[in-house]
Amino acid sequence: MSQKVIVTTALPYANGPAHIGHIAGAYLPADIYVRFRRWVSPQDEIIMIGGTDEHGVPITLKAEAEGLTPQETVDKYHKVIEDSFEAFGIHHDNFSGTARPEHIKISQEFFEKAKQEAYLFQKAEKQMYCTGCNHFLPDRYIEGTCHHCGAAGARGDQCDACGKLIDAEKLIDPVCKFCGGTKLEEKESQHWFLDLPKLQPEITKWIESKEGQWKPNVYSTVRKKWLEEDLQPRCITRDLNWGVPVPGEEGKVLYVWFDAPIGYISSTAEYFKAKGTPERTDEFWKDPSTELIHFIGKDNIVFHTITWPGVLMSHGGDYILPTNVPANEFLNLEGQKLSTSKNHAIWAHEVVNNIDSELLRYYLATIMPENNDSDFTWDGFELAINELSGTFGNMANRYLTFNNKKFEGKVLSDTSLRTEEDLEFISEIRSLAQASKEKVLEYKFRDGLFDIMSIARASNKYMDTQAPWKMIKEDEVRTQVILACLFESLVMLSQMLKAFMPKTATKLENYLNISPLSFEEIIDYTLPTDHTISADIDILIQRPEEGIIEAEKEKLA
């Protein structure tokens, strides 16, 4: 039976390029999951939706700094970000933006519907105004000491140290993150609020139903840190010119945290409109059986598990709620936090010019910050690629070269000649493939990749133990049986690795001269008759050219 699945990726601000922290945090895991699930469940309808967050003060400030209009800024960085994802092999079925007409229309409809359902109310609110920048500040761009726990560096919307929601005006010693100034004033303005207290019982009941289903780092963050206390109403409008206009009100726009996640719906609508089936947006978003999976970083957990579900609920209950929010922790760089302001980052659009994105995909998958913060180091990258090359690439090339040289690439299809050792090897790699499948579908990508590489390790061990280069001197038929077992393991690797290293896996598939296979076909594999591997082969894993890694290290220094 077909299952409808919506997979979304976090919406990055269109005011700068993406870095490897973004790739590892949300986009690579989403791409791996979608590729893998489409492979193991081809009957399912899976769409991967994304886009850029294109409204708010960060956009206008970047536009001012670069002498561009906000729209020109958005267009510029949207393309940089989208091109970076494509360079990494990360493919969205639709990659939209929140400044587009479809998004504005749907966001305004959400506002009107929430108002109609009595989940919005108006009240005067004091907001922080920076006299240095001459504009109101978004909460997340005010920084100071947390009034809950006393931690420095808390944002005006949330403290990462204690996980508490924050009212910006209660921050101790607040400063403007844009200009660093302390000349902040409170100015009163009439705004619309989402009545989260009214929605709290429904939100709490829904979150509690996810215990045991969500990753521990996500569930504990939400259940223990956010719902221990009563939720507070959240302001959903701002006094700005660049944003989704509030219907019927001059000079007010929807606050980006309210309208941005609606971008998942508007991007879906764009996708189906382009296909000529606009009615399918509701088929996906309003069918209770549809799975909705949000891939995000940990700084977005609260918005995707409390406020965003609250927005969806405020529409009257016709939209589905997230099925899972497999958020990752943070990726550090050489032992320090990634910092865009200090340029302590590896920019996605630059690094792919020097290093094969397939190698970066592999290394990032091995260090993915799934449950804890992890660290990207160039020394670690070199070690990982050396192991990949030695364990997987070298083994594949040894088999391909030897079989072409000694047997003109022919593969023996008779499995009746296999020994107990052969059967144990095949059983082992099939068990590893099954284990990997289960882990990847549970968002345990690091463990899933480890099991796949264990297939390569087992293949190396089997090759070294059976030593076909020695056996051929004694028994050519036995040598062909050994090579057929290795062929089967490489077939498995070519399919299992496609989600992680699609270009490399497809290259191996071509060398083996096979067509794509389903998961069931590799688990219960039947050797083809009269099969010959390709004679046109090359090195499978190409390490970076000498000096490239040192140059990348120098950039950071």
Side-chain angles (χ1 to χ4, degrees):
M1 184 176 175
S2 177
Q3 172 68 49
K4 293 190 290 292
V5 185
I6 304 169
V7 173
T8 74
T9 56
L11 302 164
Y13 263 129
N15 69 337
H19 55 61
I20 55 159
H22 299 132
I23 301 294
Y27 307 100
L28 180 57
D31 186 74
I32 291 171
Y33 181 82
V34 169
R35 287 177 183 272
F36 199 89
R37 182 155 176 183
R38 279 175 174 161
W39 176 50
V40 299
S41 304
Q43 74 280 3
D44 290 347
E45 285 190 275
I46 306 170
I47 55 173
M48 182 162 152
I49 297 297
T52 47
D53 189 348
E54 300 176 345
H55 287 136
V57 174
I59 305 296
T60 58
L61 286 181
K62 189 70 171 183
E64 289 174 16
E66 297 191 352
L68 302 172
T69 66
Q71 188 62 58
E72 287 171 338
T73 301
V74 161
D75 292 342
K76 172 184 175 180
Y77 287 108
H78 176 93
K79 181 170 178 15
V80 170
I81 292 168
E82 185 174 24
D83 288 351
S84 296
F85 292 158
E86 289 292 342
F88 266 87
I90 295 166
H91 177 71
H92 293 83
D93 292 297
N94 198 70
F95 193 75
S96 185
T98 60
R100 300 186 185 185
E102 189 71 26
H103 177 76
I104 292 171
K105 182 185 79 172
I106 294 176
S107 296
Q108 289 177 331
E109 191 272 331
F110 258 82
F111 174 85
E112 295 284 21
K113 181 68 172 175
K115 190 163 65 169
Q116 178 187 324
E117 295 284 332
Y119 286 113
L120 298 184
F121 64 89
Q122 274 186 306
K123 75 168 184 175
E125 187 197 44
K126 289 181 178 179
Q127 290 185 346
M128 302 298 270
Y129 186 91
C130 178
T131 57
C133 296
N134 292 318
H135 58 65
F136 285 99
L137 292 173
D139 291 343
R140 69 184 298 113
Y141 285 89
I142 307 167
E143 197 170 85
T145 301
C146 175
H147 61 91
H148 292 294
C149 70
R155 300 192 308 271
D157 60 351
Q158 176 183 342
C159 174
D160 288 335
C162 68
K164 298 287 188 182
L165 284 168
I166 284 180
D167 292 322
E169 66 272 13
K170 293 182 181 179
L171 275 176
I172 302 166
D173 300 326
V175 298
C176 170
K177 284 189 69 175
F178 294 116
C179 69
T182 58
K183 295 180 180 179
L184 306 183
E185 298 178 356
E186 286 186 350
K187 289 190 175 184
E188 194 169 271
S189 181
Q190 193 83 358
H191 285 285
W192 286 95
F193 285 73
L194 178 64
D195 197 346
L196 282 177
K198 188 175 181 180
L199 289 160
Q200 184 163 359
E202 191 176 352
I203 292 172
T204 302
K205 181 180 178 182
W206 169 71
I207 288 173
E208 288 177 342
S209 73
K210 300 300 180 182
E211 186 172 11
Q213 300 176 35
W214 286 0
K215 291 169 63 175
N217 64 314
V218 175
Y219 185 81
S220 62
T221 295
V222 179
R223 185 66 191 92
K224 294 178 181 177
K225 290 187 177 180
W226 291 93
L227 295 179
E228 286 177 346
E229 301 175 7
D230 293 336
L231 295 177
Q232 299 301 310
R234 297 297 284 172
C235 184
I236 67 163
T237 56
R238 280 292 180 263
D239 296 297
L240 295 169
N241 295 319
W242 179 250
V244 175
V246 175
E249 298 196 25
E250 197 71 33
K252 285 200 183 333
V253 299
L254 294 178
Y255 196 7
V256 288
W257 75 255
F258 179 84
D259 87 270
I262 297 172
Y264 301 139
I265 300 172
S266 61
S267 187
T268 306
E270 268 190 7
Y271 172 71
F272 283 120
K273 271 192 176 182
K275 292 177 75 68
T277 55
E279 71 282 356
R280 300 222 69 201
T281 301
D282 281 355
E283 282 183 30
F284 270 72
W285 277 94
K286 294 184 178 181
D287 181 349
S289 69
T290 299
E291 290 182 41
L292 174 59
I293 305 167
H294 294 309
F295 282 90
I296 56 168
K298 78 174 176 183
D299 55 338
N300 274 322
I301 289 175
V302 63
F303 295 108
H304 285 75
T305 56
I306 293 182
T307 53
W308 168 231
V311 171
L312 290 166
M313 291 173 184
S314 73
H315 198 273
D318 51 345
Y319 278 89
I320 58 172
L321 299 177
T323 308
N324 214 316
V325 186
N328 276 353
E329 301 292 296
F330 291 142
L331 182 73
N332 296 322
L333 176 58
E334 299 288 357
Q336 300 177 42
K337 286 187 176 181
L338 278 156
S339 173
T340 56
S341 61
K342 296 177 181 177
N343 202 29
H344 184 67
I346 297 173
W347 302 105
H349 70 295
E350 293 178 348
V351 72
V352 290
N353 293 326
N354 301 320
I355 296 175
D356 187 350
S357 63
E358 292 275 289
L359 303 183
L360 291 163
R361 281 178 67 106
Y362 174 79
Y363 178 53
L364 289 174
T366 67
I367 61 167
M368 200 171 281
E370 293 171 350
N371 299 303
N372 304 101
D373 291 355
S374 61
D375 195 26
F376 182 108
T377 69
W378 282 116
D379 287 343
F381 172 81
E382 283 193 283
L383 286 172
I385 300 311
N386 286 340
E387 182 192 12
L388 174 69
S389 177
T391 304
F392 166 58
N394 189 44
M395 182 271 294
N397 282 106
R398 285 165 71 196
Y399 163 80
L400 293 164
T401 303
F402 186 81
N403 198 8
N404 273 324
K405 182 178 179 180
K406 299 298 183 182
F407 298 103
E408 298 180 330
K410 291 182 173 57
V411 179
L412 183 68
S413 60
D414 187 357
T415 58
S416 66
L417 301 174
R418 288 183 173 179
T419 66
E420 187 175 336
E421 284 180 302
D422 301 333
L423 297 175
E424 285 178 0
F425 167 61
I426 296 300
S427 176
E428 179 184 6
I429 63 174
R430 289 179 179 179
S431 295
L432 286 166
Q434 187 66 49
S436 176
K437 172 192 172 184
E438 292 168 5
K439 289 168 185 174
V440 172
L441 294 180
E442 292 172 355
Y443 316 107
K444 299 173 182 176
F445 304 112
R446 292 173 66 163
D447 291 346
L449 180 56
F450 183 85
D451 284 341
I452 294 171
M453 291 305 295
S454 291
I455 295 172
R457 294 182 191 98
S459 301
N460 268 301
K461 182 180 178 182
Y462 173 80
M463 180 185 282
D464 291 340
T465 302
Q466 299 302 317
W469 51 90
K470 292 181 181 178
M471 183 58 68
I472 195 169
K473 298 172 185 176
E474 304 169 16
D475 189 338
E476 285 197 2
V477 174
R478 173 61 192 154
T479 305
Q480 286 183 293
V481 171
I482 295 168
L483 293 178
C485 290
L486 289 168
F487 174 82
E488 185 169 338
S489 75
L490 286 169
V491 167
M492 184 175 289
L493 285 166
S494 73
Q495 305 305 299
M496 295 293 294
L497 272 173
K498 268 191 181 175
F500 294 87
M501 302 178 72
K503 289 188 295 185
T504 303
T506 300
K507 190 192 297 185
L508 176 58
E509 185 179 83
N510 292 335
Y511 291 166
L512 296 172
N513 195 24
I514 60 170
S515 299
L517 299 167
S518 69
F519 181 78
E520 288 73 19
E521 286 173 323
I522 65 165
I523 287 295
D524 191 19
Y525 188 66
T526 301
L527 285 166
T529 56
D530 301 320
H531 187 78
T532 304
I533 64 174
S534 173
D536 184 19
I537 62 170
D538 197 359
I539 296 173
L540 193 60
I541 303 296
Q542 294 277 5
R543 292 187 180 94
E545 294 180 11
E546 190 174 347
I548 291 291
I549 302 301
E550 288 306 314
E552 292 293 338
K553 289 179 181 179
E554 287 172 13
K555 279 184 188 178
L556 291 176

